[in-house]
Amino acid sequence: MATATAPAKRKRELPWPITFYRSAVGKKWVMAISGVVGLGFVVVHMIGNLKLYLSREEINLYGEALREFPKHLLPRTVFLWITRVVLVLALAVHVHAAASLTRMNARARPRNQQYQSPRDYQVANYASRTMRWTGIIVLLFIGFHLLDLTWGGGGADFERGDAYNNLVRSFDRPLVAAVYVVANLALGVHLFHGVWSMFQSLGVNNPRINKARKRFAQSVAAIIVIGNISFPIAVQAGWVDEACVGTEHGEPCEPSGLKF
Amino acid sequence: MTGKTLTLRLKVWRQDGPRAAGRFEEYDLPGISVDMSFLEMLDVLNERLNADGHEPVAFEHDCREGICGSCSLMINGMAHGPQKGTATCQLHMRHYRDGDEIVIEPWRSSAFPIIKDLVVDRAPFDAIIQAGGYISAPAGSAPDANSVPIPKEASDSAMDAAQCIGCGACVAACPNGAANLFTSAKLAHLNLLPQGQAERYSRTVAMVDTMEDHFGSCTNHGECEAACPKEISIDFIALMNRDYVKAQLFNRRLAGQRR
């Protein structure tokens, strides 16, 4: 007697975002997308901070504008908080993917499978080989930077809303200024490889743009590093001074800003 | 024949079996002609070891004309040695100088366990090919040539990818032990041609997933491209990434490619 066999029940598929993220190629794609989010933030942050060179009023009003954006369309700080949540999620997923891929790579080339002879890299550069270390430096720095200039626990006199003086008081300490410079150099090295690598991970590859991809990465890294390290250097060099010591926030204040 | 000869000092990885502990052994090798290939130099070493009653060095080789992908030596820390775009068998001793020390190691990766001395087991490559490195076509009589029109650019690109001989130099050179260059080349040479379209996305998912069961992940160092004896471009890795993302994110049921 012939017995009809029921078709084997297909294994229940996981939702596609999970299946996708479980693969290394998917994780790299997620790292690229979250990297783009982070890159966008870093660029806007650097450009916004250039207002330090205009005046205390300009940069403090800029800070206030970020809280009010987009003015009457949303209640105050709602957009800011949405942005913060997106940034934190992007950072979290970027770090998780990096940690998980690092473990995968360590399994593929464990200690007992390392080359015993001196082995020289042919094309891998300093940036590509130090991604995890520059990444960790930047991660630690983000913690310190938030503590220092967002929450006000960095040791310097902190007044909520007075971004200008908070920044100047913080950067007046040589050690802190040095920390900012070092961390931003690490960020630059991270971006140098990351921005180029992002194109490969997303599969953006076309003979017409392939040369431009590396140049774009180099330019982005250079612009970010030069912009960001100029702030602590300017404060240390005395080009930007603390303004209106003793006056309360919002009171009339002498024009301050770039002085030579 | 130029008649010029070299005296070399070799440091060769010797390992009796998969579980044995390996070690370097040093051999002084005089009388090596500059016209020999690297493998012929090893043949000479083995003949002398045999004559002295020692166990010869096990190394893989077959066609000795750069098309089979059997030879697989890490020479002075470089996969297939210092010459770009050649497999070990096509490397000649004229690139070395009298008195040079040459360190020879097997490929190292947890996916490629050492079988003996310089021979590794590259079976995970076969697993990747079995997962999708084929087209399911009705195998009738041979079709007429040019019955399927293929754009010149597509066939050029596919042929560039098809040059991959599966030697494993990409894995050997990759700091992460990743096989993305191999897999992307094998995918591209089918995915770029009309015959490969029907199974394009299911093939991509199957081969990438199998690859990731064995190998590390790509961090875009570019070491694989530099080591590849066929100079296959990492552009193919970008193509593979793009196809994999498309395969996972878009509905393929309509195209009959849903797993």
Side-chain angles (χ1 to χ4, degrees):
Chain A
M1 191 178 88
T3 49
T5 44
K9 215 174 177 184
R10 274 171 70 196
K11 225 164 86 181
R12 203 181 152 76
E13 272 183 42
L14 290 161
W16 64 260
I18 297 175
T19 320
F20 181 56
Y21 186 73
R22 278 184 148 188
S23 75
V25 171
K27 281 199 182 77
K28 287 294 286 185
W29 189 82
V30 169
M31 281 187 82
I33 295 291
S34 55
V36 173
V37 173
L39 177 66
F41 167 75
V42 166
V43 169
V44 172
H45 190 56
M46 191 278 282
I47 293 171
N49 281 2
L50 289 174
K51 287 197 184 286
L52 175 74
Y53 296 130
L54 293 177
S55 69
R56 176 191 174 206
E57 287 68 35
E58 280 286 343
I59 192 168
N60 287 0
L61 281 173
Y62 166 70
E64 186 55 25
L66 289 181
R67 290 178 200 107
E68 283 182 351
F69 187 86
K71 276 277 179 184
H72 307 296
L73 293 178
L74 283 173
R76 207 178 113 87
T77 74
V78 166
F79 181 82
L80 182 68
W81 276 103
I82 293 171
T83 315
R84 283 172 171 168
V85 168
V86 170
L87 287 172
V88 168
L89 287 178
L91 180 68
V93 79
H94 197 79
V95 171
H96 179 267
S100 143
L101 291 174
T102 303
R103 280 199 305 275
M104 175 180 180
N105 295 344
R107 279 196 301 276
R109 179 65 55 69
R111 289 217 175 278
N112 61 359
Q113 292 285 357
Q114 304 284 347
Y115 289 101
Q116 316 275 317
S117 53
R119 171 157 151 61
D120 202 14
Y121 290 99
Q122 307 302 304
V123 290
N125 55 33
Y126 181 77
S128 71
R129 283 180 285 119
T130 55
M131 284 305 269
R132 77 188 61 146
W133 307 118
T134 51
I136 288 169
I137 291 172
V138 171
L139 185 65
L140 293 174
F141 169 73
I142 291 172
F144 170 72
H145 183 45
L146 284 173
L147 186 70
D148 188 33
L149 289 175
T150 301
W151 300 321
D157 264 351
F158 185 83
E159 194 190 335
R160 224 177 138 75
D162 191 357
Y164 181 90
N165 275 347
N166 291 339
L167 190 151
V168 174
R169 286 189 205 116
S170 175
F171 291 0
D172 250 340
R173 300 168 294 176
L175 186 65
V176 173
V179 166
Y180 274 87
V181 171
V182 169
N184 275 289
L185 287 173
L187 174 65
V189 174
H190 200 76
L191 290 177
F192 178 83
H193 180 69
V195 171
W196 174 80
S197 181
M198 159 189 106
F199 289 106
Q200 279 292 109
S201 301
L202 293 176
V204 179
N205 182 299
N206 186 313
R208 275 174 298 170
I209 63 151
N210 279 1
K211 280 223 172 88
R213 296 185 307 177
K214 276 231 157 101
R215 281 201 295 274
F216 176 70
Q218 288 160 355
S219 318
V220 167
I223 290 167
I224 296 295
V225 168
I226 291 168
N228 279 351
I229 68 172
S230 78
F231 307 124
I233 288 172
V235 172
Q236 280 293 315
W239 299 333
V240 176
D241 281 331
E242 195 173 335
C244 315
V245 184
T247 62
E248 290 203 8
H249 178 56
E251 285 186 9
C253 172
E254 276 178 50
S256 52
L258 192 57
K259 286 185 224 124
F260 283 99
Chain B
M1 297 290 275
T2 51
K4 205 182 146 201
T5 61
L6 308 171
T7 299
L8 299 169
R9 185 169 186 78
L10 299 184
K11 258 179 93 173
V12 183
W13 186 259
R14 302 303 306 265
Q15 185 169 329
D16 298 335
R19 284 168 204 285
R23 75 231 166 252
F24 276 115
E25 268 180 28
E26 301 195 4
Y27 304 101
D28 286 312
L29 198 58
I32 295 299
S33 159
V34 291
D35 298 314
M36 285 179 185
S37 75
F38 201 88
L39 298 184
E40 284 163 347
M41 182 271 291
L42 288 179
D43 292 338
V44 170
L45 171 69
N46 277 348
E47 276 186 18
R48 293 186 193 168
L49 287 174
N50 260 336
D52 294 346
H54 297 297
E55 178 92 5
V57 178
F59 64 94
E60 242 183 302
H61 58 98
D62 189 18
C63 74
R64 299 206 177 199
E65 54 183 25
I67 57 167
C68 76
S70 294
C71 53
S72 53
L73 301 177
M74 204 71 178
I75 301 165
N76 285 340
M78 279 182 274
H80 290 303
Q83 188 169 260
K84 263 194 79 69
T86 41
T88 302
C89 59
Q90 299 287 291
L91 173 66
H92 286 80
M93 298 316 293
R94 56 177 168 269
H95 298 291
Y96 291 92
R97 282 197 218 123
D98 198 35
D100 274 358
E101 183 184 87
I102 306 176
V103 184
I104 308 170
E105 270 190 276
W107 291 165
R108 292 194 191 271
S109 150
S110 53
F112 290 165
I114 294 171
I115 296 170
K116 190 177 184 199
D117 293 343
L118 302 171
V119 180
V120 297
D121 180 3
R122 285 170 281 192
F125 271 9
D126 299 336
I128 295 173
I129 296 295
Q130 281 159 10
Y134 52 81
I135 56 166
S136 307
S141 55
D144 286 344
N146 300 325
S147 61
V148 180
I150 300 170
K152 173 84 165 71
E153 290 76 13
S155 85
D156 283 352
S157 234
M159 291 308 280
D160 285 347
Q163 283 202 69
C164 172
I165 52 177
C167 65
C170 44
V171 175
C174 178
N176 309 322
N180 290 43
L181 192 65
F182 167 79
T183 311
S184 69
K186 293 302 174 198
L187 277 166
H189 95 248
L190 296 172
N191 284 353
L192 290 170
L193 296 176
Q195 294 88 339
Q197 294 313 303
E199 293 158 305
R200 178 171 189 158
Y201 296 105
S202 45
R203 168 186 305 118
T204 304
V205 170
M207 288 176 75
V208 169
D209 287 351
T210 309
M211 166 185 85
E212 290 178 357
D213 288 343
H214 299 278
F215 296 93
S217 78
C218 177
T219 50
N220 301 317
H221 288 293
E223 285 290 316
C224 51
E225 184 186 73
C228 179
K230 297 296 158 188
E231 301 185 299
I232 288 170
S233 165
I234 53 172
D235 291 352
F236 289 120
I237 298 181
L239 179 70
M240 173 179 79
N241 291 342
R242 194 159 68 214
D243 275 354
Y244 188 79
V245 171
K246 272 190 203 161
Q248 292 286 23
L249 298 191
F250 300 112
N251 187 349
R252 287 173 289 121
R253 189 166 285 152
L254 286 174
Q257 300 210 4
R258 185 103 173 128
R259 271 183 302 167

